[in-house]
Amino acid sequence: MSQSIRFTPKRELSAKQNLREFVTMAKDNLTLWSDLKDFAWNADRWPTTYSGIRFINHEYRNLPSRTTRLDTHQLMHPAFTELAKAYLRYRHTIHPQKSICMQIQALRVIEYVLRIDMPVPDITKFEQRHWEAVVSTIVDIPSRQGLCSHIQRTLKMLADFFILQVDPGFWSNPYVGQHSYDAINGANASSEAKLKKIPDQDALLAIAEVFSRGTSETQIDNDIMITCVTGLLMSAPMRIGETLRLRTDCLRDDADKDGKLQNYLAYWVPKSGHFARKAIPKTMATVATDSIRRLSKITEEGRRLARYMETNPDHFYRHANCPNVPDDQVLSSRQVVQALGFSNPNSCMSFVKLHTGSASLKGFTLDVLWNLVLKVHRRLNPHFPYQENPRNSVRPPLRMSESLLCFRRFQLSPEFNISPVLLAPYTSDTFGPYLSTGPRTPHAGNFFRRNGYGAINLKSHSLRHLLNRLGRSSGVSIELLTDWSSRATIRQTRTYLHDDPLKAASDGAALLGTIQEQEPLTPVTYEEAELYGQGPFHRSRYGICRRSWRAGPCNKFADCLNCSELLMCKGDKIAAEIIKLDRDNLFLTYTAAQRAIAKDERAASRWTEKAGPQIERLDQLLAILHNPDIPDGSPIEMAGEDFSHEKVIMSEKAKAAGVKLLDRNELRITYGDDLLACLELLRSSDNA
């Protein structure tokens, strides 16, 4: 438990004097992190409560975490390093936070702009021009909005301690509003920016193709890891770091609310701090099952070795190729190579020399070799029996012997032999580099190049974006997507989504039942139009309608029994039954209306005037349909009134133009069919 001591600056002292007293107080009086293993004030690395930090400079901020030796040119200037250490120790003594990685990044930027401007970076000489340099330095960093805020808070605290001689309160963060992360790459970003977060389809197809080969051919463990982890990431929206929390039995099933069997992944989500049951779409259930089965198979020996290591053994691990000799018997050089799992004596000699200082393979017993193995094991696995630092999580992580992803050393390196006696921790940084194509990525280490594909890149987090967009396009609510993705707020989910306004309007119309499909018809030729004019006929409830649909839809509002284009058939039982039903319904309604009129409950209307004659017309039609003297199959044409709104409009326009429209039936009666045939000949396109 660290003691809480507050620094009290003295206004009458100079900035340099306050700086010296601040560093001295943090170094000599504060005890935070002193109880942690390997903590030393003068070290280039510090273990902290939540994560280890390195005092490297801004230029080498992306230096791999596995780098063991740090050179002077990779570190912050010693003068500024003292301030950085004092600031971090004091700040976390007063107010412990998990954002220490962002805070050390902020200090690196401050040190960088000062070192560029002066030989020795002096924080007491920080001025307006340095702030402007800070803003321009972080412009290309994706997290610049939050980083700039951390830099402001750091400078504000140093100003409160009279270490800074300027007031940073007048400086504003330029990366807010329309220049913020939300506006450029977050929830309010453009569709183009969000589209760039989607994985390359060629990359997905390449991984799917290699995954499919796993059923018919033997694959190296690296290909199995890449394809199977990708399969799990495509089964549920996980963060790559969450794969470390998967057990061998993480795939489970249960009945959903509809009683159907639903597969899901069960594991602890460190970021949200709870157990999650992430449903797997039915289409991905087989992929998830095969992925876990293949991963379990290639990591079973790793878990067996981890279980042995957890017992703190004193004797050598007897793997399949271990020499079958007593533990205290002196081994030959060949047996030493065999016990350590190397392919040739030279590799074994290099390993032994690296850790003992001598390349000789003579004089070793299995017990002596085991002490060497344990020494290397502790260096490779500093958090054993865990793969990750247990201090970084409220709930302890999985033991390596429990983890689905428990690999042995060099198991994922195709160019080396797998070590049978050493484990290698699988971290959140293990997966990505194998899918990154760049000049620094060796051919054998790149998944795509090794399998015969081009220069393709894939980021694990892009799969999470893809699943969210696919879920949203399939109608899954944002609330459900947020829960499925283990996020804290809906606002975070919107960062992944882009709803097309046209599609949203279409979906809304479909939901409300107001959708109106309006698709233009494909233009037709004159020859096709002539064919359309000749038919075909269609069957109505009363018979055959002979209307030409080239002229448009029916304009008599389905008043078929008063239309001359209706052709009925004697003996059509369906039509007879429908007409009888229409007649009875009309009669009941008509008689009820007449009784109401007689009682002065309603007035006569145009409908009552037309309904009586219509009932008589239907009686006559039924008499014809049931007349035994008329043979079945005889065509019956209705003598309709042929009223239509089109004819009314045409008549009015013709009258206004001084043109008289003659009725074809009257012409036939007066002049015969020959005149109509001549008129038809004139209308024909062949004589136009």
Side-chain angles (χ1 to χ4, degrees), residues 629-657:
D629 297 333
I630 301 176
D632 290 345
S634 300
I636 302 174
E637 183 180 62
M638 304 299 295
E641 300 176 0
D642 285 354
F643 165 82
S644 71
H645 292 285
E646 293 174 346
K647 290 184 179 180
V648 173
I649 295 173
M650 291 176 61
S651 299
E652 291 177 353
K653 290 185 176 294
K655 184 177 180 180

Side-chain angles (χ1 to χ4, degrees), residues 513-569:
T514 59
I515 189 169
Q516 297 181 359
E517 298 290 347
Q518 297 182 2
E519 297 183 1
L521 300 177
T522 305
V524 297
T525 62
Y526 286 108
E527 292 77 10
E528 291 173 331
E530 288 294 331
L531 291 175
Y532 293 155
Q534 302 297 327
F537 302 127
H538 73 276
R539 173 76 158 85
S540 73
R541 60 192 304 211
Y542 302 108
I544 297 174
C545 177
R546 296 174 292 171
R547 176 174 176 79
S548 172
W549 290 96
R550 181 181 178 186
C554 175
N555 54 18
K556 292 185 68 63
F557 300 97
D559 188 15
C560 301
L561 297 179
N562 292 309
C563 179
S564 60
E565 291 181 323
L566 174 65
L567 186 65
M568 301 183 66
C569 177

Side-chain angles (χ1 to χ4, degrees), residues 59 223 264 308 419 508 635:
E59 297 93 316
D223 285 350
Y264 63 91
Y308 183 77
S419 173

Side-chain angles (χ1 to χ4, degrees), residues 474-620:
S474 300
V476 180
S477 67
I478 295 182
E479 292 78 10
L480 186 56
L481 285 177
T482 302
D483 181 66
W484 193 34
S485 304
S486 300
R487 293 196 191 91
T489 63
I490 294 176
R491 180 174 173 272
Q492 295 175 351
T493 303
R494 296 188 186 278
T495 302
Y496 295 73
L497 307 177
H498 175 68
D499 292 336
D500 184 358
L502 295 179
K503 187 177 185 305
S506 176
D507 293 343
L511 182 64
L512 297 174
T514 59
I515 189 169
Q516 297 181 359
E517 298 290 347
Q518 297 182 2
E519 297 183 1
L521 300 177
T522 305
V524 297
T525 62
Y526 286 108
E527 292 77 10
E528 291 173 331
E530 288 294 331
L531 291 175
Y532 293 155
Q534 302 297 327
F537 302 127
H538 73 276
R539 173 76 158 85
S540 73
R541 60 192 304 211
Y542 302 108
I544 297 174
C545 177
R546 296 174 292 171
R547 176 174 176 79
S548 172
W549 290 96
R550 181 181 178 186
C554 175
N555 54 18
K556 292 185 68 63
F557 300 97
D559 188 15
C560 301
L561 297 179
N562 292 309
C563 179
S564 60
E565 291 181 323
L566 174 65
L567 186 65
M568 301 183 66
C569 177
K570 172 66 169 62
D572 186 348
K573 295 181 180 180
I574 295 177
E577 292 176 359
I578 293 175
I579 294 172
K580 177 68 167 55
L581 181 62
D582 288 351
R583 185 265 174 200
D584 292 343
N585 290 336
L586 181 61
F587 179 77
L588 290 175
T589 306
Y590 177 71
T591 53
Q594 290 294 338
R595 287 195 299 269
I597 294 173
K599 296 179 181 180
D600 294 330
E601 294 177 357
R602 59 171 291 178
S605 64
R606 181 176 177 81
W607 180 85
T608 54
E609 294 177 2
K610 294 290 185 180
Q614 180 68 9
I615 293 173
E616 295 178 3
R617 181 182 177 85
L618 294 178
D619 288 337
Q620 296 171 3

Side-chain angles (χ1 to χ4, degrees), residues 13 63 82 280 312 344 375 383 404 407 577 606:
L13 297 180
L63 200 66
E82 292 293 296
I280 298 175
N312 297 316
N344 58 74
K375 176 183 176 183
H383 307 301
L404 175 67
F407 294 98
E577 292 176 359
R606 181 176 177 81

Side-chain angles (χ1 to χ4, degrees), residues 349-358 375 379 409:
M349 291 168 63
S350 299
F351 173 81
V352 172
K353 183 177 181 180
L354 178 64
H355 299 289
T356 65
S358 172
K375 176 183 176 183
R379 182 179 61 83
R409 192 186 189 196

Side-chain angles (χ1 to χ4, degrees), residues 65 166 218 225 343 382 406 512 583 585 672:
S65 57
V166 292
T218 302
M225 185 276 291
S343 59
C406 178
L512 297 174
R583 185 265 174 200
N585 290 336

